[in-house]
Amino acid sequence: MTTPRIRPLEEAVVNRIAAGEIVLAPYSALKELLENSIDAQATSIDVACKEGGLKLLQITDNGVGIAKDDLAIVCERFTTSKLRKFEDLQHIATYGFRGEALASISHIAHVSLVTKTRDSPCAWKCRYDAGHLDARTPEPQPVAGTDGTTLVVEDLFYNFPSRLHSLRPPAEEYAKIVDIVSKYALHATHVGFTCKKYGTAANDIALRSGMSQKERVRAIYGSAVASELLELEVEPRAEYGLLKCTGLITNVNYDNKKSTPPIFFINGRLVSCDPLRRAIAQTYGTYLPKGHKPFVYLSLELDSVNVDVNVHPTKREVRFLFEDEIVDHVAQKIAEVLANTDVSRTFLTQQLLPSPKRSATSDVVFSTPKKLRPLPSFSQYKRPSEHKLVRTDFAQPTLTAYLSQKTSVDGVDSTQSRTERAKVKLKSIFELKEDVEQAADDRLVEVFSKMTFIGVVDPRKRLMCFQQDVKLYIADYGALCYELFYQIGLADFSNFGRLRLSEPVSIADLLLENGLTDQMDEVVQVFVEMKDMFKEYFSIEIDDDAQNPKLATLPLLVKGYEPDLSKLALFLYRSGTKVDWEDEKKCLGGLLQQLALLYVPVACEDDGKMAELLETTICPLLKKRLLPNAELARDVVEIANLPGLYRVFERC
Ligand code: ADP
Ligand code: MG
């Protein structure tokens, strides 16, 4: 028996393996070629491919071209016009720098090119094989041609069958090519781009060289994105090596569930940067409804000394010094821009007919109490100090100032108004939102984002049944609604529509009628003293009558859904007595909780009505807007999963 000997791998195999690390699929070869063309100062780049780029990938540019003398070596490893000495690695501004791309591609595909420099009388054509000029045509051939370079890559991975098998179908590979071209087209605005399938007339991408970035977004990603774009300009931070940072991001009004991962260019190259991606996702999480994804494009220029682009063979993943500081700085700016943007939203003001049972006591005039305890911290809320306040503009017009048309539908006045969304900069609200975010439970997020309502189990116990995937759940919808309405309250804080009671109702009467007389004076006083705050933050209007203040409006949390007014007195009472008025965060959070309680559907007998409400209103909201926390797991019980049930049935 002979002992197997360890032999060095054949050089060709080594090269092929190395090439496979750089070129993963047609789109990654194209990325290198696009970068080369942009480096060559092209202002026009045309891409064409056959079979998703596998059969043919052709890229034509009008750049500086390659000198005839260099043609013999451009496909050799470590030949690059961009790097002379090692130290240059640290000051390289162009995309390529290692001289590996063309060499690699020539080891796993048939590469040919036609190129012409400005001072050459003709163009030159040559073919390459495994890093060298092809033995069959060892000299460049003179041909007619225009300035610039056309590079053709044919039969990619022809000698790399395992890679060939791992590729996606041509249509998918082509989609990735279009995606890469789109991203470079978005970034390199001085360059015109086209991209199409070879032999077809229609371009899948066609952008003129002068087109602005916004126009490019519109052309590539559609008007829904383009019309909600904000321009971002982040202040440089030289001490961290951040020389420039600009970008385009969508505002909080952009609702899109399709995820387009953020596009980052660092020093002109398309890269992924996980820490930055995560920070941005978190920032948007506070503003967008759950599951909604922003569009983000950022271009960062960093001091090249700080950047290490060599960490990954495909140069996708970038590392840089002061990463945390720079990521924080950029994310903070985005948060600021989002918080400051006025976005228009449509509000509906509905009229409500509460007619709370007015007893004989209804005309009792509320008398000023004798022992009224002063409430020390109130003034703080009336005019919050600058740093706590978010929105400093108290003169901001109220919704009613925007009322445009009034129509009478079925005897109910429904008034629609379009208004600016008020900016909320209260630190406490940010913190409350953050708390919700932090507490989110991944598993439950998954369950609720894909839930389908099945039916009411018991309306008296507020139990419903829903399905997600192959699992069946029973849930306490009272508890779910409480969390849901709390979160809606938080998200729309200061921006609620209003429900107008058909007739303002005396707070004191309401409390008396419901036997809530303990601390009644204090409760009433809270609403008088905090009138401005209630109106501004909660759309709760108190009619101006210090003797007998009346409640005129309630916040409208969800269009078309009215809270059960039998709970109104309790809401007022608890707002006055159960809320900690000494601490801003506790106070606003507490009021939002009371509001949520008011909105939770009451236990009832009518499961038909409840089913309709759950199916048409509540469940879609749970799906779209609830960010469930782990505690809700107590209120949601998995009762069966279909595969399990099938197994049971099979045995029967
Ligand atoms: P790198 O870009 O890292 O230098 P490449 O293998 O991608 O390495 O390219 C090798 C060299 O070939 C480049 O440095 C450049 O001089 C030349 N080159 C490649 N593509 C083009 C092009 N489209 N126009 C002009 N020169 C090119
Ligand atoms: Mg290159």
Side-chain angles (χ1 to χ4, degrees):
M1 212 172 79
T2 53
T3 320
R5 298 291 304 274
I6 299 173
R7 283 197 205 91
L9 283 171
E10 244 179 273
E11 198 189 327
V13 179
V14 174
N15 283 331
R16 205 178 303 159
I17 292 172
E21 275 176 22
I22 295 178
V23 182
L24 308 170
Y27 76 88
S28 44
L30 181 70
K31 177 178 185 289
E32 297 291 335
L33 303 181
L34 285 172
E35 291 178 353
N36 282 348
S37 293
I38 295 172
D39 279 351
Q41 297 155 38
T43 55
S44 154
I45 295 177
D46 302 302
V47 176
C49 17
K50 274 188 207 164
E51 290 182 24
L54 276 176
K55 191 98 207 90
L56 174 113
L57 192 58
Q58 176 184 296
I59 169 162
T60 302
D61 68 51
N62 64 350
V64 295
I66 304 169
K68 186 189 173 222
D69 290 348
D70 289 341
L71 284 173
I73 56 160
V74 280
C75 278
E76 276 172 30
R77 252 182 125 182
F78 309 120
T79 5
T80 168
S81 57
K82 299 160 197 167
L83 178 66
R84 300 274 168 242
K85 324 194 261 328
F86 178 73
E87 300 88 84
D88 287 348
L89 237 186
Q90 307 201 308
H91 298 284
I92 211 86
T94 48
Y95 291 92
F97 54 93
R98 298 185 306 185
E100 257 182 295
L102 284 184
S104 301
I105 297 169
S106 77
H107 282 283
I108 48 176
H110 299 122
V111 173
S112 59
L113 62 80
V114 173
T115 187
K116 179 181 174 304
T117 54
R118 288 200 168 61
D119 53 9
S120 165
C122 65
W124 299 96
K125 178 181 169 116
C126 37
R127 275 174 216 288
Y128 296 89
D129 178 36
H132 305 288
L133 282 170
D134 190 319
R136 287 165 295 173
T137 47
E139 284 292 317
Q141 307 292 309
V143 290
T146 50
D147 290 351
T149 305
T150 295
L151 215 132
V152 180
V153 177
E154 284 167 289
D155 306 314
L156 186 62
F157 301 129
Y158 74 97
N159 54 359
F160 209 139
S162 61
R163 179 58 57 81
L164 213 48
H165 287 129
S166 69
L167 291 174
R168 307 296 304 159
E172 278 180 46
E173 291 297 341
Y174 182 65
K176 291 189 213 165
I177 283 178
V178 172
D179 181 56
I180 285 282
V181 177
S182 300
K183 287 171 176 165
Y184 275 91
L186 176 60
H187 180 73
T189 44
H190 59 288
V191 184
F193 284 87
T194 67
C195 178
K196 64 174 185 176
K197 290 184 182 141
Y198 192 87
T200 56
N203 286 313
D204 294 300
I205 294 177
L207 300 166
R208 285 170 290 105
S209 65
M211 248 170 136
S212 77
Q213 216 154 22
K214 272 195 179 177
E215 284 176 279
R216 286 174 184 234
V217 172
R218 190 178 301 279
I220 300 167
Y221 299 98
S223 348
V225 186
S227 53
E228 306 288 359
L229 279 182
L230 303 170
E231 271 172 48
L232 189 74
E233 172 110 40
V234 183
E235 293 74 23
R237 278 298 182 86
E239 68 273 33
Y240 301 140
L242 178 67
L243 308 178
K244 194 174 174 205
C245 174
T246 54
L248 291 173
I249 60 174
T250 43
N251 63 33
V252 295
N253 228 19
Y254 175 59
D255 62 349
N256 173 46
K257 288 208 154 182
K258 203 178 65 190
S259 161
T260 330
I263 303 166
F264 300 136
F265 278 80
I266 293 185
N267 291 0
R269 65 186 80 227
L270 178 66
V271 295
S272 50
C273 180
D274 264 2
L276 192 54
R277 182 184 56 74
R278 275 196 302 270
I280 291 175
Q282 214 164 31
T283 306
Y284 268 96
T286 339
Y287 294 92
L288 294 185
K290 178 174 64 77
H292 285 217
K293 300 283 186 340
F295 172 90
V296 173
Y297 154 79
L298 284 184
S299 167
L300 283 79
E301 270 172 38
L302 303 178
D303 189 336
S304 50
V305 178
N306 292 353
V307 185
D308 182 1
V309 275
N310 254 333
V311 283
H312 194 271
T314 61
K315 295 180 270 173
R316 283 280 290 172
E317 187 67 30
V318 163
R319 283 279 104 87
F320 47 91
L321 293 183
F322 303 110
E323 197 171 76
D324 291 349
E325 288 84 353
I326 292 174
V327 165
D328 276 359
H329 178 61
V330 173
Q332 240 169 47
K333 178 69 188 187
I334 292 179
E336 199 179 296
V337 168
L338 292 179
N340 275 319
T341 355
D342 282 337
V343 286
S344 54
R345 271 214 175 177
T346 313
F347 287 97
L348 186 70
T349 325
Q350 286 183 345
Q351 284 240 331
L352 199 60
L353 307 156
S355 44
K357 287 189 302 306
R358 321 229 62 202
S359 62
T361 55
S362 64
D363 44 22
V364 167
V365 176
F366 175 63
S367 54
T368 326
K370 308 121 243 161
K371 40 140 199 118
L372 209 55
R373 180 169 48 83
L375 298 163
S377 62
F378 280 10
S379 51
Q380 176 196 340
Y381 295 104
K382 273 189 182 156
R383 288 285 180 272
S385 55
E386 206 58 28
H387 71 283
K388 279 194 181 155
L389 186 60
V390 188
R391 166 172 156 257
T392 42
D393 178 15
F394 264 76
Q396 196 233 352
T398 58
L399 286 164
T400 35
Y402 287 91
L403 297 187
S404 46
Q405 28 142 213
K406 265 198 153 193
T407 41
S408 197
V409 186
D410 297 338
V412 178
D413 247 358
S414 91
T415 314
Q416 196 142 19
S417 63
R418 208 169 172 78
T419 176
E420 302 284 287
R421 191 170 167 85
K423 302 160 196 169
V424 180
K425 286 192 211 155
L426 286 174
K427 187 157 164 278
S428 55
I429 292 295
F430 273 105
E431 285 175 6
L432 289 168
K433 284 181 179 171
E434 242 169 46
D435 294 345
V436 167
E437 194 99 349
Q438 300 276 314
D441 178 87
D442 288 349
R443 194 185 64 85
L444 284 180
V445 167
E446 169 81 10
V447 169
F448 281 102
S449 64
K450 296 186 183 145
M451 69 177 291
T452 311
F453 174 71
I454 302 225
V456 175
V457 175
D458 184 346
R460 279 153 308 204
K461 292 189 179 139
R462 289 188 284 208
L463 293 179
M464 69 166 174
C465 180
F466 70 89
Q467 181 184 354
Q468 181 256 325
D469 196 17
V470 293
K471 297 181 185 132
L472 214 51
Y473 296 87
I474 280 194
D476 173 347
Y477 59 76
L480 295 180
C481 283
Y482 174 61
E483 187 60 29
L484 171 71
F485 290 124
Y486 172 73
Q487 290 181 14
I488 291 179
L490 206 46
D492 291 349
F493 183 76
S494 223
N495 283 287
F496 303 110
R498 40 194 76 177
L499 285 164
R500 189 166 293 281
L501 304 183
S502 57
E503 192 188 323
V505 43
S506 154
I507 295 174
D509 288 358
L510 208 53
L511 295 174
L512 279 173
E513 280 164 21
N514 288 273
L516 300 165
T517 48
D518 190 30
Q519 299 181 64
M520 192 173 100
D521 301 347
E522 281 92 334
V523 173
V524 173
Q525 193 184 353
V526 162
F527 283 93
V528 176
E529 292 216 7
M530 301 312 292
K531 205 172 66 143
D532 291 348
M533 188 223 51
F534 274 115
K535 181 171 172 186
E536 184 183 349
Y537 292 161
F538 294 96
S539 294
I540 293 176
E541 280 174 26
I542 309 293
D543 271 6
D544 240 345
D545 181 350
Q547 293 302 302
N548 187 11
K550 291 182 175 145
L551 178 74
T553 64
L554 284 173
L556 176 65
L557 288 196
V558 174
K559 267 186 223 172
Y561 172 61
E562 297 155 8
D564 193 307
L565 291 179
S566 62
K567 288 198 281 184
L568 193 53
L570 210 55
F571 164 70
L572 297 172
Y573 182 73
R574 289 212 201 100
S575 298
T577 57
K578 296 272 184 273
V579 169
D580 179 352
W581 286 88
E582 303 293 324
D583 176 283
E584 182 186 296
K585 185 174 172 186
K586 285 187 191 151
C587 169
L588 297 177
L591 287 172
L592 286 169
Q593 283 171 355
Q594 294 309 326
L595 196 59
L597 280 173
L598 173 68
Y599 263 85
V600 170
V602 290
C604 68
E605 300 278 325
D606 187 347
D607 51 353
K609 202 177 105 210
M610 208 51 236
E612 192 192 324
L613 177 66
L614 284 168
E615 179 159 21
T616 60
T617 308
I618 305 235
C619 286
L621 284 170
L622 288 172
K623 230 170 132 148
K624 204 167 137 191
R625 299 196 64 172
L626 181 71
L627 206 54
N629 54 44
E631 275 176 39
L632 279 180
R634 281 194 319 237
D635 306 299
V636 180
V637 182
E638 184 184 330
I639 48 172
N641 62 64
L642 285 181
L645 283 181
Y646 288 142
R647 274 199 295 280
V648 172
F649 293 140
E650 272 161 16
R651 270 189 262 122
C652 298

